[in-house]
Amino acid sequence: MIRVIDSHTEGEPTRVVIAGGPDLGSGPLADRARRLNEDHGDFCAALLREPRGVVAMVGALLVPPAAPGCETGVIYFNAAGNLGMCGHATIGLAVTLAHLGRITVGNHRFETPVGVVEADLVDANTVTVVNVESYRFRKDVAVEVPGLGTVTGDIAWGGNWFFLTGDNPVPLTPDCTAPLTEAALAIRRALHAAGMTGRDGAPIDHVEFNGPPDGRDAQGRNFVLCPDDAYDRSPCGTGTSAKVACLAADGKLAPGAPWVQESIIGSRYSLTYRPGATGGVIASITGRAFVTAEATLLRAPSDPYRNGISA
Ligand code: PYC
């Protein structure tokens, strides 16, 4: 029996496992995350794939922290494997822990496999996440994409690896999610084929189209394709951190200046940043999450889809 609390953050779903998850032992969180990925793929797929889940969903497995002063350790995963960090799921996690009465309004630290992040619970639904240091790795990288031609963008880290481009094949509107998904998949394939990576050969698994906002009080709008091939309904916390790192590197956004990012469905995050210790930025991301379900998931041994539908 697996007990979960579901929420959505600006439209993007999160499933927090509060009981019945695998025992990953002890040690550094990155090692435990690797164990989750290598040894418990069926568990992750059962949680996030149909018929129990939906591929856009991100799972959050709570584990004892290794770093001092943390409320919990957390390993984020999607239907394609682990995520380093996840902005929307961190907002969802804080709101979920508040819903369970485990935290109250104020500042909390969560340990992720890529570092400790802070979650400031402002009220029952509003959270400001202080992310790990984000930075631009490569500027103006050109890649030849079958069907699209030359696409130019930046490679940046925001807790996950992103290719960010303004070469949008169609407008960033909700009716264009299908062609945007196709184009982002083609770009990701082309990056991989050309051997373009993040630092230390890390695969670039998120593709982010950026364009002008719809609303007058926002500064940008995006469409982010995640490693599970689903698009982020929220403005993507790690993706917007990567965007802010690029803006800061170009001198287009000053420390402390506000940046309001719209998602493809029009939901929003508000961000600011301060300079990081190693030349990047520490982004603070504010958004809202709402609990949508408290559930017990059942996986009968005779159920042919106990591990989800993988096709
Ligand atoms: O909010 O950082 C994020 C995120 C990553 C993948 C889905 N959401």
Side-chain angles (χ1 to χ4, degrees), residues 109-173:
R109 289 159 62 86
F110 302 151
E111 185 183 13
T112 78
V114 296
V116 173
V117 298
E118 288 174 39
D120 189 17
L121 183 70
V122 178
D123 60 38
N125 300 105
T126 312
V127 178
T128 298
V129 174
V130 183
N131 197 3
V132 295
E133 185 163 346
S134 305
Y135 61 94
R136 179 163 66 196
F137 180 57
R138 297 261 184 270
K139 180 177 165 65
D140 287 343
V141 171
V143 60
E144 286 306 311
V145 184
L148 296 178
T150 307
V151 176
T152 304
D154 292 352
I155 299 172
W157 169 256
N160 296 298
W161 282 104
F162 289 83
F163 180 79
L164 302 99
T165 182
D167 291 347
N168 306 335
V170 290
L172 303 186
T173 50

Side-chain angles (χ1 to χ4, degrees), residues 12 58 83 85-89 160 206 226 232 234 236-239 269:
E12 178 75 350
V58 168
L83 294 169
M85 222 306 270
C86 184
H88 93 264
N160 296 298
H206 292 71
C226 298
D232 198 329
S234 83
C236 191
T238 52
Y269 287 151

